[in-house]
Short mmCIF file of all heavy atoms in Angstrom, two decimals:
data_model
loop_
_atom_site.label_atom_id
_atom_site.label_comp_id
_atom_site.label_asym_id
_atom_site.label_seq_id
_atom_site.Cartn_x
_atom_site.Cartn_y
_atom_site.Cartn_z
N ALA A 1 0.83 -1.21 0.00
CA ALA A 1 0.00 0.00 0.00
C ALA A 1 0.86 1.25 0.00
O ALA A 1 0.51 2.25 -0.58
CB ALA A 1 -0.92 -0.02 1.21
N SER A 2 2.02 1.20 0.67
CA SER A 2 2.91 2.34 0.70
C SER A 2 4.32 1.83 0.91
O SER A 2 4.54 0.87 1.65
CB SER A 2 2.51 3.30 1.83
OG SER A 2 3.39 4.40 1.88
N ALA A 3 5.30 2.44 0.27
CA ALA A 3 6.68 1.97 0.37
C ALA A 3 7.35 2.57 1.61
O ALA A 3 6.71 3.16 2.46
CB ALA A 3 7.43 2.36 -0.90
N PHE A 4 8.67 2.42 1.66
CA PHE A 4 9.49 2.94 2.76
C PHE A 4 9.27 4.44 2.93
O PHE A 4 9.30 5.20 1.99
CB PHE A 4 10.95 2.63 2.42
CG PHE A 4 11.94 3.15 3.41
CD1 PHE A 4 12.45 2.32 4.39
CD2 PHE A 4 12.38 4.46 3.35
CE1 PHE A 4 13.39 2.79 5.29
CE2 PHE A 4 13.31 4.95 4.24
CZ PHE A 4 13.82 4.10 5.23
N GLU A 5 9.10 4.88 4.19
CA GLU A 5 8.96 6.30 4.49
C GLU A 5 9.72 6.62 5.77
O GLU A 5 9.74 5.82 6.71
CB GLU A 5 7.49 6.69 4.68
CG GLU A 5 6.64 6.57 3.43
CD GLU A 5 5.19 6.92 3.71
OE1 GLU A 5 4.88 7.34 4.84
OE2 GLU A 5 4.36 6.75 2.80
N GLY A 6 10.29 7.81 5.85
CA GLY A 6 10.99 8.26 7.05
C GLY A 6 12.34 7.62 7.21
O GLY A 6 12.58 6.49 6.79
N GLY A 7 13.30 8.35 7.83
CA GLY A 7 14.64 7.80 8.01
C GLY A 7 15.42 7.77 6.71
O GLY A 7 14.96 8.21 5.66
N GLY A 8 16.63 7.23 6.78
CA GLY A 8 17.48 7.11 5.60
C GLY A 8 17.75 5.66 5.28
O GLY A 8 17.68 4.78 6.15
N ARG A 9 18.11 5.40 4.02
CA ARG A 9 18.43 4.05 3.60
C ARG A 9 19.91 3.72 3.84
O ARG A 9 20.33 2.58 3.67
CB ARG A 9 18.11 3.87 2.11
CG ARG A 9 16.67 4.18 1.73
CD ARG A 9 15.71 3.14 2.25
NE ARG A 9 15.69 1.97 1.38
CZ ARG A 9 15.01 0.85 1.65
NH1 ARG A 9 14.33 0.76 2.78
NH2 ARG A 9 15.02 -0.17 0.82
N SER A 10 20.68 4.71 4.26
CA SER A 10 22.10 4.54 4.55
C SER A 10 22.49 5.65 5.53
O SER A 10 21.75 6.63 5.70
CB SER A 10 22.93 4.64 3.26
OG SER A 10 22.80 5.93 2.70
N PRO A 11 23.66 5.56 6.17
CA PRO A 11 24.07 6.61 7.11
C PRO A 11 24.12 8.00 6.49
O PRO A 11 23.73 8.98 7.12
CB PRO A 11 25.46 6.15 7.56
CG PRO A 11 25.39 4.66 7.48
CD PRO A 11 24.56 4.38 6.25
N SER A 12 24.60 8.10 5.24
CA SER A 12 24.72 9.44 4.64
C SER A 12 23.37 10.08 4.35
O SER A 12 23.29 11.30 4.19
CB SER A 12 25.55 9.35 3.35
OG SER A 12 24.89 8.54 2.39
N THR A 13 22.31 9.29 4.24
CA THR A 13 20.98 9.85 3.96
C THR A 13 20.10 9.91 5.21
O THR A 13 18.94 10.29 5.12
CB THR A 13 20.26 9.02 2.89
OG1 THR A 13 20.12 7.66 3.35
CG2 THR A 13 21.04 9.03 1.59
N ALA A 14 20.66 9.53 6.37
CA ALA A 14 19.87 9.51 7.60
C ALA A 14 19.63 10.94 8.09
O ALA A 14 20.58 11.72 8.21
CB ALA A 14 20.59 8.71 8.67
N PRO A 15 18.39 11.32 8.40
CA PRO A 15 18.12 12.65 8.92
C PRO A 15 18.61 12.79 10.37
O PRO A 15 18.59 11.82 11.14
CB PRO A 15 16.60 12.77 8.84
CG PRO A 15 16.11 11.37 8.86
CD PRO A 15 17.16 10.53 8.20
N LEU A 16 19.06 14.00 10.71
CA LEU A 16 19.50 14.29 12.07
C LEU A 16 18.27 14.62 12.92
O LEU A 16 17.50 15.51 12.58
CB LEU A 16 20.47 15.47 12.08
CG LEU A 16 20.94 15.97 13.45
CD1 LEU A 16 21.77 14.90 14.16
CD2 LEU A 16 21.73 17.27 13.31
N ILE A 17 18.09 13.90 14.03
CA ILE A 17 16.94 14.16 14.88
C ILE A 17 17.26 15.24 15.90
O ILE A 17 18.42 15.60 16.11
CB ILE A 17 16.48 12.87 15.60
CG1 ILE A 17 17.49 12.49 16.69
CG2 ILE A 17 16.28 11.73 14.63
CD1 ILE A 17 16.95 11.50 17.69
N GLU A 18 16.24 15.75 16.55
CA GLU A 18 16.37 16.68 17.67
C GLU A 18 15.85 15.98 18.92
O GLU A 18 14.84 15.26 18.86
CB GLU A 18 15.60 17.97 17.43
CG GLU A 18 16.13 18.81 16.29
CD GLU A 18 15.36 20.12 16.15
OE1 GLU A 18 14.74 20.56 17.14
OE2 GLU A 18 15.38 20.68 15.05
N TRP A 19 16.53 16.20 20.03
CA TRP A 19 16.10 15.59 21.29
C TRP A 19 14.66 16.01 21.61
O TRP A 19 14.32 17.18 21.54
CB TRP A 19 17.01 15.98 22.45
CG TRP A 19 18.46 15.67 22.27
CD1 TRP A 19 19.49 16.56 22.29
CD2 TRP A 19 19.08 14.39 22.06
NE1 TRP A 19 20.69 15.94 22.11
CE2 TRP A 19 20.47 14.60 21.97
CE3 TRP A 19 18.58 13.09 21.95
CZ2 TRP A 19 21.38 13.56 21.78
CZ3 TRP A 19 19.48 12.05 21.75
CH2 TRP A 19 20.86 12.28 21.67
N GLY A 20 13.85 15.04 21.95
CA GLY A 20 12.49 15.31 22.40
C GLY A 20 11.47 15.49 21.30
O GLY A 20 10.26 15.53 21.59
N GLN A 21 11.89 15.57 20.04
CA GLN A 21 10.95 15.75 18.94
C GLN A 21 10.34 14.40 18.52
O GLN A 21 10.96 13.36 18.67
CB GLN A 21 11.64 16.39 17.74
CG GLN A 21 12.10 17.82 17.98
CD GLN A 21 10.94 18.75 18.25
OE1 GLN A 21 9.96 18.78 17.52
NE2 GLN A 21 11.04 19.51 19.34
N HIS A 22 9.13 14.47 17.98
CA HIS A 22 8.42 13.26 17.57
C HIS A 22 8.65 13.00 16.08
O HIS A 22 8.56 13.92 15.26
CB HIS A 22 6.92 13.40 17.85
CG HIS A 22 6.13 12.18 17.52
ND1 HIS A 22 5.43 12.04 16.34
CD2 HIS A 22 5.92 11.03 18.22
CE1 HIS A 22 4.82 10.88 16.32
NE2 HIS A 22 5.10 10.24 17.45
N TYR A 23 8.94 11.73 15.73
CA TYR A 23 9.19 11.35 14.35
C TYR A 23 8.38 10.11 14.00
O TYR A 23 8.05 9.31 14.88
CB TYR A 23 10.68 11.07 14.12
CG TYR A 23 11.56 12.27 14.35
CD1 TYR A 23 12.10 12.52 15.61
CD2 TYR A 23 11.81 13.18 13.33
CE1 TYR A 23 12.89 13.64 15.84
CE2 TYR A 23 12.60 14.31 13.55
CZ TYR A 23 13.13 14.53 14.81
OH TYR A 23 13.90 15.64 15.03
N ALA A 24 8.06 9.96 12.73
CA ALA A 24 7.30 8.80 12.27
C ALA A 24 7.91 8.28 10.97
O ALA A 24 8.50 9.02 10.19
CB ALA A 24 5.83 9.19 12.04
N GLY A 25 7.78 6.99 10.76
CA GLY A 25 8.27 6.36 9.55
C GLY A 25 7.47 5.12 9.23
O GLY A 25 6.49 4.78 9.92
N GLN A 26 7.87 4.43 8.18
CA GLN A 26 7.14 3.24 7.76
C GLN A 26 8.09 2.27 7.08
O GLN A 26 8.89 2.66 6.23
CB GLN A 26 6.02 3.63 6.80
CG GLN A 26 5.09 2.49 6.44
CD GLN A 26 3.81 3.01 5.81
OE1 GLN A 26 2.83 3.25 6.48
NE2 GLN A 26 3.84 3.19 4.49
N LEU A 27 8.03 1.01 7.50
CA LEU A 27 8.80 -0.07 6.89
C LEU A 27 7.84 -1.02 6.18
O LEU A 27 6.62 -0.85 6.26
CB LEU A 27 9.59 -0.82 7.97
CG LEU A 27 10.56 0.03 8.80
CD1 LEU A 27 11.07 -0.78 9.98
CD2 LEU A 27 11.73 0.52 7.94
N ASN A 28 8.39 -2.02 5.50
CA ASN A 28 7.53 -3.04 4.88
C ASN A 28 8.28 -4.35 4.77
O ASN A 28 9.47 -4.43 5.10
CB ASN A 28 7.02 -2.57 3.51
CG ASN A 28 8.15 -2.35 2.53
OD1 ASN A 28 8.78 -3.30 2.08
ND2 ASN A 28 8.40 -1.08 2.19
N ASN A 29 7.58 -5.39 4.37
CA ASN A 29 8.19 -6.72 4.26
C ASN A 29 8.42 -7.15 2.82
O ASN A 29 8.52 -8.33 2.52
CB ASN A 29 7.33 -7.76 4.99
CG ASN A 29 5.93 -7.86 4.39
OD1 ASN A 29 5.55 -7.08 3.52
ND2 ASN A 29 5.14 -8.82 4.88
N HIS A 30 8.51 -6.16 1.90
CA HIS A 30 8.73 -6.44 0.48
C HIS A 30 10.20 -6.74 0.23
O HIS A 30 11.08 -5.90 0.50
CB HIS A 30 8.28 -5.22 -0.34
CG HIS A 30 8.22 -5.47 -1.80
ND1 HIS A 30 8.04 -4.46 -2.71
CD2 HIS A 30 8.34 -6.62 -2.52
CE1 HIS A 30 8.03 -4.97 -3.93
NE2 HIS A 30 8.21 -6.28 -3.83
#
């Protein structure tokens, strides 16, 4: 229904988080 969302697929594409902030993402089993 929906592919990978949120975060990075490798260290260089990983977003920098902020302490205490809320984040959401989505994985799948494809």
Side-chain angles (χ1 to χ4, degrees):
S2 179
F4 177 98
E5 294 178 5
R9 304 289 279 175
S10 63
S12 63
T13 59
L16 175 65
I17 71 164
E18 294 183 22
W19 304 121
Q21 293 297 311
H22 183 262
Y23 297 91
Q26 187 164 268
L27 302 169
N28 62 70
N29 61 353
H30 190 190

